[in-house]
Amino acid sequence: MSVSRRTVLSSAAGVAALSAVSTPAAAADVFTVRTPAPTLHKLRAAADYAVDKVRTVAPTVTAFPVGTKFEKWTYSQNGDWVGGFWPGTLWMAWLYSKDDAFRGWAQASAEKLAPRQYDTGTHDLGFLFYPSWVTAWRLTGDDAWRAGALRAADSLIQRYNPRGRFIRAWGALNDERNAGRVIIDTMMNLDLLAFASGQTGDDKYLNIAVEHAKTAQRVFLRPDGSTPHVYDFDPADGAPIGPNTVQGYSPTSCWSRGQAWGLYGFTTMYRRTGNPEFLATARRLADFAVGALTADHVPVWDYRAPQQPYDIKDASAGAIMACGLLDLAKATGRHTYREVALRLLTALSETCLTRNSTRAEAAVARCTRHRPNEDGIEISLPYADYYLLEGILRVLQPQDVDRAIDLSAV
């Protein structure tokens, strides 16, 4: 079913009275409350540290960091699924420092992703092209970046299954394995499609994003607000099969980074469409995750793993969650979401930076990449550095973050 942007907005307006969404005036009130000076001091110190770290390491980086081994970055030549985060981190460092060396490094790194704009074998084109090429276009005005991001969106919509109304996560288009597999992470790739509709005036991109989000909302959201990592469909007819996992402890557990992807992604889809159901879903995901946090405010890798709350941590989940909560606070007018986001960012700044190491090439430690595979336990990950800086800049320099990634709402 095709859903025009006008229909989406009209439907949203029609059910607004049934939602718990606060008024725009209330949303604005969130940011009239001053951030405590000690918190600002800690966040500035963390940003200074992270940017200085990036400045030191950047001249030696010739590919895309994917994770650390013995505290040194390991690399992918084509970017894997994380290639957008290194140029994105460089852009955040430029916005914070105004040092044009970061601007040059960001563009040189992003250019290396050019072949991936034609890659139809992954759903991660939003991760690859939004923090790199879309941000580059927004900050430089060079239309070549915009054109490449639009080509990436064209590649992404080829992965849409109209029978099940979902974007498949993994595998080449002609590969039947995983053809019906959907993962919560894809919510973060949908903003590339919203960008494409906004730039071209063609609703087909946003239609697909909305249909995927509605499907994800229906199958991932549990009554308590938690989510599985994976949901499987029969790709032939779109019939649901059931929840599963790859990154989480089990199909009934709740992988913390996936929960953060969902929180952030549904909030973004609310901003792009005005659909209050997406905002309500984001709030339910947020409320579960906030309730699952321990006193140290660094998420465990899975909120329902047997050893939680004393299990291995994932600081990257905390950084992503903080960004999503800051977005959600603005959308709802609920200051409590902002307060938790500030506690998350403060906790990461105080307990998860690599300050005590002279070897470390990343800023954020205590991340977990793939616990079930025992792959990347207590390491650094490029998206942790990126989202830490994004989160801190959302507090210190929100207008600059808006310039980079577009924080507007319909």
Side-chain angles (χ1 to χ4, degrees):
M1 180 178 68
S2 176
V3 182
S4 72
R5 184 178 180 84
R6 182 174 301 168
T7 300
V8 169
L9 299 181
S10 298
S11 299
V15 297
L18 301 178
S19 74
V21 180
S22 301
T23 65
D29 287 345
V30 169
F31 297 98
T32 65
V33 179
R34 291 185 178 179
T35 303
T39 300
L40 292 175
H41 176 74
K42 291 172 183 176
L43 297 186
R44 288 193 185 101
D48 287 342
Y49 176 79
V51 169
D52 286 346
K53 180 68 69 175
V54 175
R55 183 185 284 110
T56 299
V57 173
T60 68
V61 173
T62 58
F64 299 99
V66 296
T68 55
K69 185 174 183 180
F70 304 119
E71 300 183 281
K72 302 295 185 183
W73 284 125
T74 60
Y75 296 99
S76 165
Q77 292 300 315
N78 77 347
D80 197 71
W81 72 271
V82 300
F85 294 118
W86 178 247
T89 299
L90 292 164
W91 280 122
M92 292 294 151
W94 178 68
L95 289 171
Y96 182 73
S97 69
K98 307 302 188 289
D99 181 347
D100 280 338
F102 290 115
R103 177 186 173 106
W105 288 323
Q107 293 185 82
S109 177
E111 286 172 356
K112 293 184 174 68
L113 288 172
R116 300 296 299 279
Q117 62 194 287
Y118 305 102
D119 186 353
T120 61
T122 179
H123 72 123
D124 285 315
L125 291 164
F127 283 131
L128 289 169
F129 283 90
Y130 206 102
S132 55
W133 286 51
V134 173
T135 294
W137 174 72
R138 290 181 59 82
L139 295 178
T140 70
D142 184 343
D143 199 56
W145 300 114
R146 172 185 175 275
L150 294 177
R151 282 190 288 270
D154 281 327
S155 297
L156 179 55
I157 62 174
Q158 293 185 52
R159 301 184 64 76
Y160 181 64
N161 183 318
R163 295 171 297 280
R165 298 179 183 176
F166 62 81
I167 296 171
R168 63 176 289 185
W170 299 317
L173 296 179
N174 61 357
D175 184 354
E176 294 184 1
R177 295 174 301 172
N178 296 315
R181 178 148 283 194
V182 180
I183 64 176
I184 191 66
D185 317 39
T186 305
M187 289 301 305
M188 290 292 290
N189 291 306
L190 301 183
D191 204 21
L192 180 66
L193 301 183
F195 169 78
S197 278
Q199 290 298 307
T200 64
D202 190 337
D203 288 331
K204 68 181 179 182
Y205 304 98
L206 185 63
N207 288 339
I208 288 173
V210 167
E211 290 302 317
H212 178 93
K214 287 181 176 179
T215 299
Q217 181 176 255
R218 186 179 74 251
V219 303
F220 280 98
L221 184 63
R222 298 183 182 125
D224 65 357
S226 67
T227 58
H229 176 215
V230 173
Y231 198 93
D232 289 320
F233 294 87
D234 184 330
D237 60 10
I241 295 174
N244 211 320
T245 196
V246 173
Q247 291 274 29
Y249 176 78
S250 76
T252 60
S253 71
C254 184
W255 175 50
S256 62
R257 191 161 69 242
Q259 189 79 3
W261 292 139
L263 157 60
Y264 193 151
F266 275 107
T267 305
T268 301
M269 282 301 294
Y270 166 73
R271 288 197 291 107
R272 300 305 183 221
T273 66
N275 186 334
E277 293 182 3
F278 294 153
L279 185 60
T281 297
R283 287 186 58 184
R284 291 179 65 187
L285 268 64
D287 292 345
F288 176 86
V290 170
L293 288 174
T294 50
D296 66 356
H297 276 79
V298 182
V300 295
W301 74 278
D302 190 304
Y303 293 126
R304 285 185 172 152
Q307 292 179 315
Q308 68 80 30
Y310 309 107
D311 210 335
I312 289 168
K313 299 289 187 173
D314 183 7
S316 74
I320 299 157
M321 181 179 170
C323 293
L325 287 173
L326 289 169
D327 219 8
L328 190 58
K330 186 175 180 181
T332 61
R334 291 181 174 263
H335 188 67
T336 51
Y337 290 136
R338 182 176 174 83
E339 290 175 342
V340 176
L342 292 174
R343 289 200 292 271
L344 283 162
L345 292 172
T346 301
L348 298 179
S349 299
E350 290 180 329
T351 68
C352 296
L353 298 187
T354 57
R355 285 193 175 105
N356 293 331
S357 172
T358 59
R359 289 179 46 85
E361 293 185 339
V364 182
R366 302 184 72 192
C367 300
T368 297
R369 180 164 50 204
H370 196 329
R371 180 72 170 91
N373 277 6
E374 295 294 328
D375 171 28
I377 309 300
E378 294 283 347
I379 64 168
S380 297
L381 294 167
Y383 35 96
D385 282 17
Y386 171 80
Y387 287 108
L388 176 72
L389 278 176
E390 181 191 307
I392 291 174
L393 264 65
R394 279 177 176 265
V395 177
L396 303 181
Q397 300 169 209
Q399 296 87 353
D400 284 332
V401 177
D402 182 38
R403 287 172 56 207
I405 63 173
D406 184 10
L407 301 181
S408 65
V410 296

